[in-house]
Amino acid sequence: HHIDKNGILWIGTYDQCFYSYEPETGKWTHYQCPPKDNGMSDMISDIDPYNEDILLMTRTDDLFLYHTKTREWKHFDWNDNLSQKPQGGYFHTLITRDEIYLTALGNQPFIHLSRKKRLIKKTKIPLPANTANNHSYVTGEGKILTGDWDK
């Protein structure tokens, strides 16, 4: 979820894309996601401010930029000559001034994008055997905390 400068709450859902809530009016608004890969739910797992009027939406199959004023979707692209998308799908993001950290589900790479240095770095996390990254969080210092729902 994300609360913007106007106090509007933006919250992703497991299977219905996302909603916004305006506390001044008490109004909830439902939003439709762009078309998705077959078999994927419309789960928005993370919403982060990308710039003043644009939110970075993390969906399992892709990353999108959503313009809050025009309500337009744009695919989030970057020069990635490394490998394809994480097999388990994207999960959480952290955006700092010059860095974007992405975590993925399963025992997949974590992605670190640097706007300043033009760096894209993917690394596998050293997880214990029979452990999957079902939940993750990136601290403001770029440290990755991960956990398995069963452990």
Side-chain angles (χ1 to χ4, degrees):
H1 73 278
H2 168 66
I3 300 174
D4 69 18
K5 65 181 182 197
N6 300 314
I8 296 172
L9 171 66
W10 302 87
I11 188 163
T13 69
Y14 184 75
D15 60 357
Q16 297 178 29
C17 200
F18 72 100
Y19 287 82
S20 67
Y21 176 73
E22 297 181 43
E24 288 185 11
T25 63
K27 181 182 174 189
W28 285 94
T29 304
H30 178 243
Y31 298 85
Q32 297 293 321
C33 284
K36 59 188 182 302
D37 292 345
N38 290 337
M40 293 284 188
S41 73
D42 252 348
M43 178 175 121
I44 295 291
S45 59
D46 215 352
I47 300 173
D48 289 282
Y50 188 71
N51 67 26
E52 189 163 324
D53 296 320
I54 296 177
L55 299 172
L56 177 63
M57 301 281 184
T58 307
R59 188 170 74 183
T60 308
D61 66 331
D62 226 328
L63 302 168
F64 297 94
L65 296 174
Y66 180 77
H67 196 288
T68 59
K69 293 194 179 197
T70 65
R71 295 188 175 192
E72 293 177 326
W73 290 94
K74 182 180 175 187
H75 187 264
F76 180 77
D77 287 315
W78 67 83
N79 274 339
D80 183 0
N81 295 323
L82 299 170
S83 60
Q84 56 190 334
K85 296 176 194 172
Q87 195 173 32
Y90 300 108
F91 196 59
H92 281 295
T93 57
L94 171 77
I95 300 175
T96 63
R97 184 173 177 188
D98 295 317
E99 314 295 322
I100 299 173
Y101 298 93
L102 301 166
T103 61
L105 294 170
N107 192 7
Q108 298 296 317
F110 285 81
I111 303 167
H112 170 208
L113 307 174
S114 176
R115 300 183 220 197
K116 193 174 184 179
K117 300 175 188 173
R118 301 255 187 242
L119 165 76
I120 301 173
K121 181 177 164 185
K122 294 186 181 184
T123 54
K124 288 227 178 220
I125 56 169
L127 292 175
N130 301 318
T131 302
N133 175 30
N134 299 122
H135 187 76
S136 58
Y137 178 78
V138 185
T139 68
E141 297 82 38
K143 293 182 180 179
I144 298 167
L145 307 174
T146 185
D148 189 310
W149 289 332
D150 293 332
K151 295 171 179 61

